[in-house]
């Protein structure tokens, strides 16, 4: 699994003009699921994200996690994070898991991060043409890949 984690002042997801999710201060998490990902990836990634110390403390130092900050989160599935651009100019998505694999893993990731965070999180609509609006705070953007844990 690969996640792009963005610290935001606000973020929202709209599908066909309908607001699906919105948050204030917190994290927008773009999640790309690849073939071979499993529950171990979900558990590790969720814990890593909710405990990332990327929010400012009282001294303006990035020293607080989403848990400590009390912020919210939106998780949006994004298969294009698994793109390979090694050959030519057209990305290959061969590493991205097909919907029959990725939908259950995405749904399980959402449940796990909700449990780890102790509150509901927003989501996108899997496979939909989503419009994601965000105000990146910092900007702070972190890329995490479960295949690079070491």
């Amino acid at each position: 699994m690969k996640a792009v984690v963005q610290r935001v002042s606000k973020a929202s997801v709209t599908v066909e003009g309908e607001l699906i999710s919105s948050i204030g201060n917190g994290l927008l998490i773009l999640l790309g699921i690849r073939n071979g990902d499993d529950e171990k990836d979900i558990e590790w990634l969720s814990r890593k994200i909710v405990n990332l110390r990327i929010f400012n403390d009282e001294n303006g130092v990035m020293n607080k996690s989403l848990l400590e900050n009390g912020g919210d989160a939106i998780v949006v599935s994004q298969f294009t994070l698994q793109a390979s651009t090694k050959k030519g100019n057209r990305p290959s998505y061969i590493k991205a898991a097909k919907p029959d694999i990725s939908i259950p893993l995405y749904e399980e990731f959402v449940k796990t991060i909700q449990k780890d965070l102790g509150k509901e999180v927003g989501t996108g609509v899997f496979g939909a043409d989503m419009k994601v609006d965000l105000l990146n705070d910092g900007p702070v953007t972190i890329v995490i890949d479960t295949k690079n844990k070491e």
Side-chain angles (χ1 to χ4, degrees):
M1 278 181 190
K2 189 180 288 186
V4 174
V5 179
Q6 298 184 17
R7 186 177 78 180
V8 297
S9 297
K10 63 180 180 176
S12 64
V13 178
T14 306
V15 175
E16 296 180 9
E18 179 185 348
L19 181 64
I20 303 299
S21 297
S22 68
I23 62 169
N25 179 50
L27 296 177
L28 171 65
I29 303 159
L30 305 174
L31 183 68
I33 299 168
R34 85 182 85 191
N35 295 314
D37 287 340
D38 60 23
E39 283 75 21
K40 289 180 183 177
D41 294 297
I42 290 170
E43 292 168 10
W44 183 87
L45 185 58
S46 176
R47 280 193 309 273
K48 179 64 79 174
I49 290 172
V50 301
N51 289 294
L52 272 178
R53 293 169 36 184
I54 59 173
F55 290 91
N56 293 345
D57 64 14
E58 56 281 347
N59 297 315
V61 177
M62 286 194 292
N63 203 26
K64 287 191 171 187
S65 68
L66 184 61
L67 278 172
E68 296 167 315
N69 172 285
D72 295 314
I74 293 179
V75 181
V76 176
S77 178
Q78 188 171 356
F79 78 94
T80 59
L81 291 177
Q82 297 300 339
S84 173
T85 57
K86 287 183 179 180
K87 294 181 181 177
N89 294 317
R90 184 177 184 155
S92 168
Y93 303 106
I94 195 96
K95 293 179 184 176
K98 301 288 185 231
D100 61 320
I101 294 169
S102 56
I103 291 172
L105 289 174
Y106 169 76
E107 291 172 349
E108 188 61 32
F109 179 82
V110 170
K111 287 179 190 173
T112 301
I113 203 163
Q114 286 180 154
K115 179 179 60 82
D116 289 345
L117 196 52
K119 64 166 101 175
E120 293 288 316
V121 301
T123 62
V125 176
F126 194 95
D129 181 15
M130 295 176 272
K131 306 302 178 204
V132 179
D133 187 35
L134 70 136
L135 180 56
N136 197 318
D137 181 16
V140 175
T141 302
I142 309 287
V143 178
I144 305 171
D145 190 330
T146 63
K147 301 306 184 222
N148 295 321
K149 294 178 202 170
E150 310 284 316

